[in-house]
Amino acid sequence: DSGVTQTPKHLITATGQRVTLRCSPRSGDLSVYWYQQSLDQGLQFLIQYYNGEERAKGNILERFSAQQFPDLHSELNLSSLELGDSALYFCASSVAGRKNEQFFGPGTRLTVL
Amino acid sequence: GNSVTQMEGPVTLSEEAFLTINCTYTATGYPSLFWYVQYPGEGLQLLLKATKADDKGSNKGFEATYRKETTSFHLEKGSVQVSDSAVYFCALSEDFNKFYFGSGTKLNVKP
């Protein structure tokens, strides 16, 4: 158990809908990272937050957004969902960016029908 | 730009065989390099890392050496076990904020 929790574990929804994925980092970790893992794209970095502020952006679509709240939990919002958004979404946390290990949560499996 | 290329899998080995999983990278600066392991149904776990050229990362019998001249970070283990069956990801980061992962290599170890 990494100490990072993600909810829900599974999510099934329809095209055009909007969903919110939630991540609670390990106690004391200030950084949260979001990743998308799909069969055709592999593991893609989406976005990083550090203590409530966006720190780095990767291949995140405009339909996707994220935020980190004062209690350090983070949410990833996915809107206007398409079939191709079906994937495993991982959250990871670390104490701080530089030279610190990322701890990954178990992931949320999103299926868009 | 930054990218990581690793050998396609699956790799199937018998127990106690020698393992090599190739990883090469492209980077604009001086990245740190990582190997992560993902067991079925779980998130990724850091296996080892190296932060500068010629560094060797090692953990649980796995090793990888940061080779700047060949831009490589190949993962090796002298004698694999069934419990090593998993998907292995090579990754790089220049600033520990943005990470780039390879496509993953699935390892199957047969008893």
Side-chain angles (χ1 to χ4, degrees):
Chain A
D1 184 352
S2 67
V4 178
T5 59
Q6 290 187 246
T7 56
K9 275 189 116 165
H10 302 278
L11 198 48
I12 301 175
T13 188
T15 54
Q17 295 298 305
R18 173 190 168 94
V19 297
T20 297
L21 313 184
R22 183 188 168 103
C23 168
S24 293
R26 292 188 323 151
S27 176
D29 284 1
L30 299 177
S31 273
V32 169
Y33 308 76
W34 284 100
Y35 294 88
Q36 179 193 58
Q37 185 179 33
S38 60
L39 282 175
D40 55 344
Q41 299 274 0
L43 191 65
Q44 301 273 324
F45 167 74
L46 295 178
I47 197 163
Q48 184 217 357
Y49 279 81
Y50 176 77
N51 202 20
E53 294 195 3
E54 183 184 305
R55 179 63 68 90
K57 219 169 194 178
N59 298 323
I60 187 165
L61 299 172
E62 283 192 16
R63 301 184 285 108
F64 296 1
S65 64
Q67 52 184 328
Q68 186 179 27
F69 294 86
D71 67 352
L72 300 177
H73 92 271
S74 178
E75 293 181 356
L76 179 67
N77 300 296
L78 315 176
S79 61
S80 303
L81 284 167
E82 302 175 0
L83 296 177
D85 298 327
S86 296
L88 256 177
Y89 290 84
F90 286 106
C91 164
S93 74
S94 70
V95 172
R98 195 106 197 127
K99 298 190 187 300
N100 278 296
E101 177 182 349
Q102 290 182 69
F103 293 85
F104 279 76
T108 293
R109 181 169 291 283
L110 173 66
T111 302
V112 182
L113 300 175
Chain B
N2 295 335
S3 66
V4 175
T5 303
Q6 57 182 107
M7 62 190 285
E8 297 231 1
V11 173
T12 301
L13 296 173
S14 297
E15 207 164 22
E16 298 184 2
F18 185 85
L19 168 71
T20 301
I21 300 178
N22 290 337
C23 169
T24 57
Y25 68 90
T26 302
T28 52
Y30 301 96
S32 293
L33 302 173
F34 309 83
W35 277 101
Y36 282 82
V37 59
Q38 184 179 28
Y39 298 102
E42 298 183 11
L44 280 71
Q45 302 173 28
L46 180 64
L47 181 59
L48 53 84
K49 70 179 181 185
T51 57
K52 62 183 189 297
D54 299 325
D55 266 3
K56 178 186 276 188
S58 60
N59 186 24
K60 300 181 183 180
F62 291 89
E63 290 183 342
T65 301
Y66 189 162
R67 302 277 187 212
K68 191 177 171 201
E69 62 277 11
T70 54
T71 61
S72 64
F73 192 55
H74 304 321
L75 182 68
E76 297 183 335
K77 187 176 185 185
S79 175
V80 293
Q81 306 300 311
V82 172
S83 58
D84 294 327
S85 297
V87 181
Y88 292 82
F89 291 89
C90 185
L92 73 80
S93 179
E94 291 185 340
D95 57 7
F96 284 77
N97 294 321
K98 210 167 187 179
F99 285 76
Y100 299 85
F101 282 80
S103 54
T105 302
K106 186 171 184 180
L107 171 65
N108 295 317
V109 180
K110 294 182 175 179

